[in-house]
Amino acid sequence: MIDAFTGALHDGFGYVAISYCLAAIGLNIQFGYSGLLNFGQAAFLAIGGYIMGAAIATSGIPTIPAMLIAILFAVALALILGVPTLRLRADYLAIVTIAAAEILRLVFGTSFREYFRGKDGVTGFADGFRGLNPLPEYDGFFLTYSRNELWTIIVGWIVVILICVLVWALMRSPWGRVLRGIREDEDAVRSLGKNVYGYKMQALVLGGVIGCIGGFIGAFGAASVQADTFNLDFTFIALTMLILGGAARVLGPVVGAILFWAVLSFLGSILSDLSANPTVAQFMNADQASNVRLMLVGLVLMLLMIYRPQGIFGDRKEIALDAR
Amino acid sequence: MPADTSPTPATGATSMSASTPSSPATGSTGTTRSVADQGRADLQGLATEPGVKKKDPIVVATDVRRTFGGLTAVDVEHVEIQRGVITALIGPNGAGKTTFFNLLTGFDQPDSGSWTFNGTSLKGKSAYKVARLGMVRTFQLTKVLSKLTVLENMRMGATGQRGERFWAGALPFLWKSQEQEITARARELLGRFKLDAKESDFAGSLSGGQRKLLEMARALMVGPELVMLDEPMAGVNPALKQSLLGHVKSLREEGMSVLFVEHDMDMVRDISDWVIVMAQGKVIAEGPPRSIMTDQRVIDAYLGAHHDTDISELEHVVTAEHQQPKEETA
Ligand SMILES: Nc1ncnc2c1ncn2[C@@H]1O[C@H](COP(=O)(O)OP(=O)(O)O)[C@@H](O)[C@H]1O
Ligand SMILES: [Mg+2]
């Protein structure tokens, strides 16, 4: 039981949770506040990990410039996705982003092997980041984090807090007001002289860049980048976290990401303990336990959508997922 | 980042403060006249034929055509809207009035044609640029932003907001003072439209009539020179109707030009200076309200056939059409 709790906290606040959390914050700007359906958020994290990783490991570029290059790539991807679709109906963006994410995943996994290393993925880029680690050489930190994990997590949560402050400031500004207006009725906003297309583009770019930063954290935490991490499930799980926590709320995606990983880990521990019991094992072996875990999470999400469709933090009056 | 949020070119002779109701323009006699008086004088003695040239047009449209599949929704040969006055656009349902609004304001693209606003060609201009130039429209199906408060809806109308730029948005000290000015202006307008008590309610909680009022007030926040109202009275109860009428008239006194679509002939006669009649996409008649209602072409358009009918009968038909249940009554 204690182990299950420790494990839940470990995963809930771990670097994977942070990376999903940033993905969900980006989606919150796009979907939660502006109504844009980006189903390819994984591509922005993939760019963060792969472009930065390859720039450091293959081209010997220092860490910070490598990050800036990756961010430029993320901006470029957002523009490429947005230019043809943002004047059209919302579903076009959804389709194009799904396709782009899959294409990029395949490119990273199979092409430009001298940079992206095919199946092995990119490694050997985290030394610069880890070299800045001021923590003492000691591996018994709380929640069983290793020294490098803890360093990544500290930096990661500071980044999350800074980005949340930025989102909070932006969303209470006239800029955020225009986005919320667009989410509801873009023609009304257009009739008041606002360049709706430009605002949507800004939301897409900002959300994508935040996702890209999530890619950095994930890459530093694992010290490697694998293309398969960034499959379609990735984006849908991040969206799930957003809806769980509450869309169009600054802390919605943060709470959603922590809870999602904590609950998943907790259920995992409990169920795998149970499956060790010979009686239970007749119905559910260890492999099945991890699937049952996902089924239970799905069940919880269904109940949540029925009884609290606005998510944990959401304000039903402001945003109900009534899809108009 | 690419969004273009450059401030509006100073539009309109319009001062939004209620205390300065007219903006002077110099008449041909050399005495100072209001824009509205000048506009009405300009309309005197014009021929009452479709497409007649106005002395001082704010909008000029030529050969504007829009087809949907085989249906020609709009086919306007030539029409001019006089500055400084209230022009009514009437015609039976399906005549193409809303489509014509959409074309003029950039919400829809015509198959062909050209049109100008204040001498500037608007062909191919996006809707938001048209609004910034000072030509602001409302919608037949009201478009209030129901999950924003009434006050937020109003603030959204102001153009040239510094805080609407991405980088400035995150730095409140850059826009706080402007936001206060905008809020003061919004409150003043809400007061005039008797919506001040509702300012912190979600716009979605307003009644259909109040939404029409809010949409009109919000359009005024843009600082328009020409206000285009698509059926502003639809679904509005009689008490509110009177105050809406008053608001439309006061726009004219403040120097704005108004183009509105309306089915209620009493209202048309009461407030409009000029009437343009559309049927089957074409402008079929124009003239001052009194003479237009006895115009045989207009009566035919409404009745769909030759009839010996007088104005009261026409009103009857038109009012009956207006009575059809509208989606707006909330
Ligand atoms: N988006 C559209 N697609 C197809 N037909 C349309 C569309 N918009 C309007 N129409 C048709 O064009 C004609 C004019 O419509 P509209 O401009 O709404 O008339 P009005 O506002 O005068 O009642 C109608 O016959 C209508 O059915
Ligand atoms: Mg109409």
Side-chain angles (χ1 to χ4, degrees), chain A residues 220-232:
Chain A
F220 285 138
S224 79
V225 192
Q226 301 283 334
D228 285 345
T229 319
F230 307 106
N231 55 18
L232 285 180

Side-chain angles (χ1 to χ4, degrees), chain B residues 56-183:
Chain B
D56 182 12
I58 188 164
V59 172
V60 179
T62 308
D63 288 327
V64 177
R65 270 173 59 86
R66 173 67 162 115
T67 53
F68 294 107
L71 176 90
T72 304
V74 168
D75 185 7
V76 170
E77 220 171 89
H78 188 82
V79 75
E80 300 188 356
I81 315 285
Q82 168 67 31
R83 182 189 313 278
V85 301
I86 300 180
T87 306
L89 179 61
I90 67 169
N93 283 331
K97 306 179 295 294
T98 298
T99 307
F100 191 49
F101 261 43
N102 290 344
L103 294 172
L104 290 182
T105 51
F107 280 86
D108 191 6
Q109 270 64 52
D111 305 356
S112 63
S114 61
W115 64 104
T116 61
F117 173 71
N118 270 337
T120 315
S121 170
L122 294 187
K123 192 183 168 73
K125 277 232 181 351
S126 1
Y128 81 93
K129 286 187 180 153
V130 173
R132 285 187 194 180
L133 284 172
M135 180 162 157
V136 181
R137 57 91 55 95
T138 66
F139 296 87
Q140 182 171 352
L141 305 175
T142 29
K143 288 187 181 290
V144 298
L145 301 165
S146 41
K147 287 167 185 170
L148 267 56
T149 66
V150 168
L151 190 58
E152 280 179 313
N153 265 274
M154 292 294 287
R155 286 176 177 143
M156 179 95 81
T159 49
Q161 297 190 41
R162 289 193 285 273
E164 285 183 353
R165 274 174 241 177
F166 176 78
W167 296 110
L171 307 169
F173 61 89
L174 289 178
W175 50 264
K176 265 279 147 54
S177 65
Q178 191 191 27
E179 179 89 344
Q180 278 160 6
E181 288 160 25
I182 289 168
T183 306

Side-chain angles (χ1 to χ4, degrees), chain B residues 5-27:
Chain B
T5 44
S6 65
T8 342
T11 52
T14 317
S15 152
M16 213 54 57
S17 63
S19 49
T20 52
S22 65
S23 28
T26 311

Side-chain angles (χ1 to χ4, degrees), chain B residues 189-250:
Chain B
L189 271 169
L190 285 177
R192 262 166 66 190
F193 282 78
K194 303 266 185 311
L195 287 170
D196 40 349
K198 302 260 177 200
E199 73 165 48
S200 43
D201 293 3
F202 284 107
S205 71
L206 299 181
S207 74
Q210 288 169 327
R211 287 177 198 212
K212 287 275 180 198
L213 282 173
L214 174 59
E215 208 191 12
M216 192 167 145
R218 190 179 65 185
L220 297 183
M221 286 296 290
V222 186
E225 248 183 286
L226 172 66
V227 185
M228 299 174 57
L229 307 168
D230 198 347
E231 305 206 12
M233 300 292 165
V236 177
N237 73 41
L240 268 181
K241 231 175 224 181
Q242 277 312 312
S243 80
L244 250 173
L245 271 174
H247 292 313
V248 176
K249 282 187 195 168
S250 72

Side-chain angles (χ1 to χ4, degrees), chain A residues 170 173-175 177-178 180-181 184-185 187-188 190-195 199 202 205-206 317-318 322, chain B residues 1 3-5 107 128 131-132 143 145-148 152 155-156 158 161 163-164 166 169 175 179 218 222:
Chain A
L170 279 173
S173 78
W175 186 81
R177 182 164 66 213
V178 175
R180 283 180 292 134
E184 263 195 75
D185 191 331
D187 277 346
R190 222 172 251 136
S191 78
L192 300 172
K194 319 291 178 206
N195 180 359
Y199 281 98
Q202 290 182 339
V205 169
L206 179 62
K317 272 201 280 240
E318 206 208 324
D322 56 8
Chain B
M1 297 233 171
D4 174 7
T5 44
F107 280 86
Y128 81 93
R132 285 187 194 180
K143 288 187 181 290
L145 301 165
S146 41
K147 287 167 185 170
L148 267 56
E152 280 179 313
R155 286 176 177 143
M156 179 95 81
Q161 297 190 41
E164 285 183 353
F166 176 78
W175 50 264
E179 179 89 344
R218 190 179 65 185
V222 186

